[in-house]
Amino acid sequence: KYDYLEVIVIQKANNSGRVKRIKVQEQKSLVGKQITIKQLEQLEGSSDLLNYMNTANWEFVDRQSIVSEENDPVWMSYIFRKRK
């Protein structure tokens, strides 16, 4: 019924949420879609990511973050879905 896509956003530690990098692994849900890994990884911020995915008709579902140590980067997993 839906294709799901995970996008990893790596934010700098203690820097008010400034995005360091956006990372996307090859996923089946990207096959035959308008969006590409290269386009996603060129985005500069989480708001750019959300706007881009919304424009491509991908619905934001969930976000989870992982923080290991105080000064380590914050890894955030954004999950999007699109009706097949």
Side-chain angles (χ1 to χ4, degrees), residues 3-4 7 11 19 22 26 38 42-43 46 55 58 66 73 76 78:
D3 280 330
Y4 288 88
V7 178
Q11 293 184 339
V19 171
I22 294 177
E26 193 68 44
K38 185 177 181 179
Q42 288 179 346
L43 298 171
S46 55
T55 301
W58 283 82
I66 301 168
M76 301 180 64
Y78 283 77

Side-chain angles (χ1 to χ4, degrees), residues 5-82:
L5 176 66
E6 179 181 32
V7 178
I8 304 297
V9 176
I10 305 163
Q11 293 184 339
K12 295 182 179 184
N14 302 325
N15 201 354
S16 65
R18 187 173 209 172
V19 171
K20 183 176 180 182
R21 187 170 139 212
I22 294 177
K23 180 174 171 49
V24 182
Q25 295 180 340
E26 193 68 44
Q27 299 171 50
K28 284 174 82 174
S29 58
L30 284 172
V31 176
K33 299 296 188 294
Q34 297 174 358
I35 62 175
T36 66
I37 290 174
K38 185 177 181 179
Q39 291 169 323
L40 288 167
E41 290 182 344
Q42 288 179 346
L43 298 171
E44 295 185 7
S46 55
S47 63
D48 295 336
L49 171 65
L50 293 169
N51 287 331
Y52 177 80
M53 295 301 282
N54 187 43
T55 301
N57 294 319
W58 283 82
E59 178 185 357
F60 173 74
V61 177
D62 191 24
R63 180 185 78 183
Q64 295 182 4
S65 61
I66 301 168
V67 182
S68 46
E69 296 291 327
E70 186 176 327
N71 290 323
D72 286 350
V74 177
W75 287 63
M76 301 180 64
S77 169
Y78 283 77
I79 304 295
F80 297 92
R81 73 177 177 188
K82 183 175 182 119

